Amino acid sequence: MSSIRFMTLDPGHFHAALVHGEMYPDVADRVDVFAPVGPDLVAHLHRLAAFNRRPARPTSWTWEVHASPNSLDRLLQERPGTVVVLSGRNRAKIDYILAAVRGGLHVLADKPWILTPEDLPKLEAALAEADRQGLVAYDIMTERFEATAALQRALVNDEPTFGRIQRGRPGEPAVYMESVHYLKKMVAGAPNIRPPWFFNTADQGEGLNDVGTHLVDLVQWTLFPDQAIDARADIQILDAQRWPTWVGEEDFRSVTGGAGFPADLEDRVVDGRLEYHCNTLVTYTLRGIHTTLNVIWDWEPLDTPGDTHFAFYQGTRSRIEVRQTKADRFRPELYVVPEPGAGAEVRRALEAKVASLQGEFPGIAVEESGGEIRVTIPDALRVGHEAHFGQVTAAFLGYLRDRTALPAWERPNMIAKYMVTTGGTAMSRTRPAQPAARLAPR
């Protein structure tokens, strides 16, 4: 009988189901789900059933539902498993995590863990308690497993190709990321239904709180691999701003499947439209390196097939960029843009680095066009967003089996990450609401 068994607590977001998109060795095939009766629970069970029914690589999960309005208390009392999986309803998430680790349970939780600076002590307490008990409390950072992000990290840390990271200055960051997501997405010809609470920023968080967690994590992970970040000494938040995406009531109905704006959103409805503060721009320094993150939620894609990501790191020899543009059919692609006069040397260095990476990224190659160099990535390495959840879960299970393998830098870097997301969000609320300029090429 397996010693590892998942318990899912209040699955409010579809990411909770994506953890179960694969079967894992030495993990019990039964999942215990603790949640109140309602649409979130029903949607979660439908997703698990869909994984079992899919024609390719069907899963074989079974599940037992422990329906209760006090799902956390019931989980801690019954404790049929060893790992708590959390995703959704972010306001109370850190309280759930803290209670779980104090109860001797491992935690695999989707971002964001906290929404406000006031919750940073709870985050620190949860991580410290996990260390004290030899538990693993781990956040689901899927973007580290995206091929373009991993390759961008490798090239930024290759001095012959990249040089050294520049410091940047206000208005001219050395690191810039722009992430555009859409509230209305079509799946099988119909809108992807979002729960009404998704639009309550007190529950869901704002743009930097949520998607921004990935961006802050990528910056730290890329610039300072395997190094601990000191949140208070290494980070200075310089400025932040936010602005709303306006959602009409008919649009709200179409994307939630509900009757209209619920009572808890009425104070944010102006002239029949919801003022949804889901966009944030933050500028900060990380060990003196000027960094700008632009997190955007538009209503629906008009000129792209879906979400897009743009990221650059400016080095003394070249700029390393991830782009999603029409020219590349909106697939994420990795480009190296040499500084003037350095093209030939950068090309030779890049070719040598790409050759050395073949064991980890088989089939990548170099293609030059118009003074830029593209690192071509085979389709076999583009496994997709859903598959990244299986990769994160497999890494988590490895740490469960050998707690000493969990990197020591994960704990301080998590605290640093959430200091940026919560502090930047708080600062943005003190500034006039205004949209930020977009820098991503189209």
Side-chain angles (χ1 to χ4, degrees):
M1 182 175 180
S2 173
S3 61
I4 301 174
R5 183 161 151 187
F6 289 130
M7 300 178 292
T8 303
L9 178 59
D10 284 2
H13 193 284
F14 73 92
H15 287 175
L18 293 183
V19 169
H20 304 289
E22 304 291 338
M23 304 301 295
Y24 307 98
D26 304 322
V27 174
D29 59 10
R30 184 178 123 172
V31 181
D32 291 85
V33 183
F34 292 81
V37 173
D40 288 347
L41 173 60
V42 172
H44 180 71
L45 298 179
H46 278 305
R47 292 181 184 112
L48 293 183
F51 289 140
N52 282 356
R53 293 195 306 263
R54 67 188 180 195
R57 299 178 298 101
T59 56
S60 55
W61 297 107
T62 62
W63 49 87
E64 181 170 330
V65 176
H66 307 252
S68 170
N70 300 309
S71 49
L72 174 62
D73 292 342
R74 186 169 178 185
L75 181 148
L76 293 174
Q77 286 176 349
E78 298 181 12
R79 301 167 58 92
T82 55
V83 175
V84 178
V85 176
L86 282 164
S87 182
R89 293 193 179 271
N90 302 318
R91 174 163 43 180
K93 188 180 288 177
I94 190 60
D95 294 317
Y96 284 11
I97 293 169
L98 190 52
V101 294
R102 283 175 173 166
L105 297 166
H106 304 285
V107 174
L108 179 62
D110 194 25
K111 51 77 188 161
W113 283 28
I114 61 173
L115 302 179
T116 68
E118 291 73 26
D119 279 335
L120 278 166
K122 291 182 180 178
L123 173 65
E124 292 179 286
L127 296 175
E129 182 65 15
D131 281 352
R132 188 184 72 81
Q133 294 200 48
L135 299 167
V136 180
Y138 199 65
D139 62 341
I140 301 176
M141 290 289 99
T142 50
E143 293 306 302
R144 296 181 189 178
F145 292 85
E146 166 61 38
T148 50
L151 283 165
Q152 187 174 43
R153 181 190 196 221
L155 297 185
V156 166
N157 288 281
D158 183 54
E159 188 166 340
T161 299
F162 180 69
R164 297 177 305 279
I165 185 70
Q166 294 192 2
R167 311 293 282 182
R169 59 180 63 87
E172 295 181 20
V175 180
Y176 176 83
M177 290 191 187
E178 182 176 303
S179 177
V180 182
H181 286 248
Y182 296 94
L183 297 170
K184 182 178 181 179
K185 299 178 183 180
M186 302 301 290
V187 178
N192 180 36
I193 298 300
R194 299 185 184 276
W197 62 260
F198 178 89
F199 292 88
N200 185 338
T201 55
D203 277 332
Q204 172 65 16
E206 300 192 18
L208 183 62
N209 283 135
D210 186 18
V211 175
T213 311
H214 282 304
L215 306 189
V216 179
D217 183 77
L218 285 176
V219 174
Q220 298 175 172
W221 180 75
T222 299
L223 288 180
F224 303 106
D226 305 326
Q227 296 182 40
I229 303 297
D230 184 324
R232 290 160 181 85
D234 293 340
I235 292 171
Q236 182 182 6
I237 301 174
L238 304 177
D239 200 5
Q241 65 194 67
R242 68 173 187 165
W243 65 100
T245 294
W246 292 90
V247 182
E249 191 159 15
E250 271 308 309
D251 287 335
F252 186 85
R253 289 193 189 101
S254 74
V255 82
T256 63
F261 297 128
D264 64 349
L265 294 180
E266 286 181 354
D267 64 337
R268 301 183 183 107
V269 176
V270 181
D271 296 330
R273 296 189 302 160
L274 176 67
E275 186 183 28
Y276 182 39
H277 275 287
C278 54
N279 310 290
T280 320
L281 180 91
V282 65
T283 296
Y284 65 102
T285 58
L286 173 60
R287 295 185 180 172
I289 298 165
H290 285 260
T291 301
T292 296
L293 309 178
N294 197 2
V295 183
I296 301 161
W297 281 88
D298 282 342
W299 171 242
E300 63 181 331
L302 298 177
D303 57 355
T304 70
D307 302 340
T308 58
H309 177 77
F310 172 60
F312 73 68
Y313 294 79
Q314 181 62 59
T316 54
R317 295 176 62 80
S318 67
R319 187 171 68 250
I320 313 295
E321 295 188 2
V322 171
R323 308 175 192 162
Q324 282 182 262
T325 66
K326 186 176 182 180
D328 290 318
R329 295 173 295 156
F330 293 104
R331 294 203 316 178
E333 298 289 355
L334 182 62
Y335 285 86
V336 177
V337 184
E339 286 294 288
E345 292 182 3
V346 168
R347 169 70 186 252
R348 286 194 296 271
L350 178 61
E351 288 175 339
K353 184 62 178 177
V354 163
S356 75
L357 291 170
Q358 290 300 320
E360 188 177 358
F361 302 98
I364 61 171
V366 171
E367 180 181 276
E368 191 165 1
S369 175
E372 299 181 337
I373 311 168
R374 183 164 70 101
V375 178
T376 60
I377 303 171
D379 289 343
L381 298 179
R382 299 176 182 271
V383 299
H385 178 251
E386 293 192 7
H388 296 327
F389 283 84
Q391 293 172 309
V392 172
T393 303
F396 167 78
L397 292 170
Y399 299 142
L400 234 61
R401 297 181 181 104
D402 179 9
R403 179 61 165 73
T404 63
L406 180 64
W409 52 262
E410 287 280 16
R411 175 177 164 185
N413 290 15
M414 203 170 170
I415 294 165
K417 173 171 60 186
Y418 282 109
M419 196 181 84
V420 174
T421 61
T422 62
T425 299
M427 183 181 288
S428 74
R429 293 171 178 167
T430 69
R431 307 292 201 263
Q434 54 182 345
R438 302 185 185 189
L439 302 184
R442 295 292 178 183

